[in-house]
Amino acid sequence: MSSLQNKKIILGITGSIAAYKAAQLVRLLAKSGAEVQVLMTDAATGFITPLTLSTLSKRPVLTGIHTEEGWNNHVELGLWADALVIAPLTATTLAKLSMGIADNILAAVYLSARCPVFFAPAMDLDMWKHPAVQGHVERLQSFGNHLIPVGYGELASGLTGEGRMAEPEEIVRLLEEFLAKKQDLTGKKILITAGPTYEPIDPVRFVGNRSSGRMGVALANAAARRGASVTLILGPSKLSPTEPSVETIRVETAQQMYDQALRCFPAADAAIMAAAVADYRPAEVADEKIKKAGEEMNIRLVKNPDIAATLGSRKQPGQIIIGFALETNNEADNAREKLLKKNMDCIVLNSLRDAGAGFDVPTNRVMLLFKDNNSLHFELKHKDAVAEDILDAAVRLWNVSSTI
Ligand code: C5P
């Protein structure tokens, strides 16, 4: 059975000669069992008629934000779909999506969609190569949208080169491949803390650490891709999740992270505590910038609340907590002690001794320790792959707790 069976697909068509291929695309999607809702820009209707597409999709085609009957609810449509496919995508609509200009039904649905978005550009070779177009393609990819690569061949202009829209068969194959990936976290709510915390000394200075937030952001993206509903409480990090469905709450201090984590935890099935929370904060925060004076200066620090330990003490049956430990000596013993003390179900140990592991690097080498004394050792991998290993552990923990 095709992974497109019973999937709700919105197909957005823009004004390119390649729009004629959209008829074949709708046919193939429908044949695979998908429900297809076609949206067209005004320009697209000059290349292929809405009547052709509504006949093939067995649904009225939407061509504007308003019709004579009323307003088309783009927010509802954006939530309805399992995937939004834009094929063909012209340079003009690409630029609108990149800049957030919602002056047609397709762009409005794009901005309100929470589902994965696929886009298949179609244009002449020089247009395709132009830095303006390439910049917009990169921007859409940075939003987590999936580029369906252009093909090489004869173009409508008579020139030969890159810029042809991918063939409908290829688009359907990519969609099927994506939808077949594991969605084993569907229905799960996952709370993730990530990044450093900054503890203010005065209006311009703070006590912080070198955590980049990479591991936590990778976890948030991976969990969202596997179908979880993810809330990411993110300290001051340059990164943001690329999966559009992740709800990100930005915080600065440990206290703010604590408040948000406690608020969100009761509804969560799992909390993954990847943040490098400052253990101490300045006892007093000066209202004005502290002036230079004397040869020495002391800052008195007081303890921050332990977020993981607090959640551990409030954990309900069915909830799991996964923490992190970054140790420099007696690694496994220290990590195991933390696992028990904070009432976690699993702790991810990364050692600073490993080159390529730990803070501010794209890779990590971890060991997972469990309450029952079991442990799993992994090779040095990209943090995206480490995130998948950690989520696999969460799935196993839920399966065990549901059979007890
Ligand atoms: O005790 P330690 O800081 O080494 O423990 C690390 C684990 O505890 C991490 O999962 C970290 O996110 C969490 N933690 C926390 N709140 C703190 C300190 C650590 O949630 N104040």
Side-chain angles (χ1 to χ4, degrees):
M1 190 177 79
S2 164
S3 56
L4 277 160
Q5 184 73 40
N6 298 327
K7 288 289 184 303
K8 301 182 181 83
I9 308 291
I10 295 182
L11 174 63
I13 305 171
T14 71
S16 151
I17 178 64
Y20 80 89
K21 293 187 193 171
Q24 171 71 349
L25 183 53
V26 174
R27 260 200 65 223
L28 292 175
L29 289 169
K31 241 174 89 180
S32 306
E35 263 184 76
V36 187
Q37 172 64 61
V38 175
L39 310 178
M40 296 174 83
T41 61
D42 250 354
T45 61
F47 289 93
I48 182 165
T49 67
L51 181 62
T52 305
L53 296 161
S54 63
T55 309
L56 291 169
S57 65
K58 302 192 178 71
R59 274 174 169 265
V61 168
L62 304 179
T63 54
I65 294 181
H66 310 275
T67 61
E68 270 163 25
E69 288 92 63
W71 176 64
N72 288 319
N73 191 338
H74 56 86
V75 177
E76 210 170 78
L77 267 172
L79 297 178
W80 170 83
D82 295 305
L84 167 60
V85 184
I86 308 170
L89 176 60
T90 58
T92 303
T93 304
L94 169 68
K96 284 185 190 174
L97 304 185
S98 161
M99 303 313 290
I101 299 168
D103 66 350
N104 63 45
I105 180 74
L106 170 57
V109 168
Y110 169 80
L111 290 180
S112 32
R114 291 199 191 158
C115 59
V117 176
F118 297 80
F119 62 106
M123 59 197 84
D124 200 51
L125 78 168
D126 293 310
M127 290 173 82
W128 173 246
K129 273 199 231 136
H130 197 283
V133 167
Q134 287 301 315
H136 289 312
V137 167
E138 274 170 31
R139 232 170 105 80
L140 257 61
Q141 287 180 296
S142 79
F143 303 153
N145 302 163
H146 306 275
L147 168 68
I148 301 178
V150 295
Y152 182 93
E154 195 182 318
L155 300 160
S157 61
L159 299 172
T160 300
E162 274 200 329
R164 282 168 66 90
M165 184 181 94
E167 295 304 321
E169 290 77 7
E170 172 66 1
I171 297 175
V172 170
R173 192 189 64 75
L174 285 170
L175 271 175
E176 280 186 322
E177 196 179 281
F178 180 89
L179 293 167
K181 277 206 193 121
K182 52 180 170 185
Q183 290 283 306
D184 54 352
L185 298 178
T186 304
K188 294 288 186 201
K189 287 202 171 82
I190 303 189
L191 168 66
I192 299 173
T193 67
T197 64
Y198 285 178
E199 309 299 327
I201 298 170
D202 69 14
V204 291
R205 303 179 181 100
F206 58 84
V207 179
N209 61 63
R210 293 188 202 280
S211 164
S212 62
R214 270 210 188 104
M215 192 63 244
V217 169
L219 275 161
N221 283 330
R225 277 194 297 269
R226 283 166 71 162
S229 123
V230 181
T231 302
L232 173 68
I233 306 176
L234 183 59
S237 160
K238 288 192 207 101
L239 304 175
S240 308
T242 47
E243 289 301 318
S245 68
V246 174
E247 184 200 1
T248 307
I249 302 172
R250 292 261 176 190
V251 295
E252 181 113 354
T253 64
Q255 185 64 49
Q256 290 165 355
M257 191 176 271
Y258 175 87
D259 293 342
Q260 292 295 339
L262 259 62
R263 186 177 66 79
C264 299
F265 186 57
D269 298 295
I272 307 182
M273 319 299 289
V277 186
D279 291 326
Y280 294 91
R281 66 173 183 276
E284 282 106 36
V285 182
D287 290 336
E288 307 288 344
K289 185 180 167 200
I290 300 171
K291 293 255 179 314
K292 197 172 4 196
E295 288 306 312
E296 275 186 23
M297 178 186 168
N298 290 303
I299 299 173
R300 195 166 65 85
L301 299 173
V302 292
K303 210 164 189 183
N304 267 330
D306 192 310
I307 306 166
T310 311
L311 299 192
S313 70
R314 299 184 178 198
K315 196 168 66 173
Q316 298 295 319
Q319 285 187 308
I320 58 169
I321 298 182
I322 300 179
F324 279 74
L326 185 75
E327 303 292 335
T328 52
N329 65 312
N330 250 344
E331 287 105 329
D333 288 345
N334 285 341
R336 197 172 295 286
E337 197 183 310
K338 259 172 219 172
L339 166 80
L340 299 176
K341 204 168 91 193
K342 301 193 189 197
N343 196 23
M344 294 168 171
D345 300 274
C346 168
I347 194 156
V348 184
L349 168 64
N350 31 10
S351 166
L352 263 189
R353 283 193 209 162
D354 280 322
F359 274 0
D360 215 7
V361 286
T363 50
N364 209 356
R365 193 160 93 133
V366 304
M367 185 173 153
L368 303 190
L369 303 169
F370 298 89
K371 263 195 312 212
D372 58 4
N373 275 332
N374 271 331
S375 60
L376 291 171
H377 300 246
F378 295 94
E379 291 307 305
L380 186 72
K381 304 182 180 189
H382 195 276
K383 284 181 176 168
D384 290 342
V386 176
E388 301 290 349
D389 293 335
I390 295 170
L391 295 171
D392 287 345
V395 171
R396 275 197 302 274
L397 286 165
W398 276 314
N399 289 344
V400 171
S401 72
S402 64
T403 55
I404 290 174

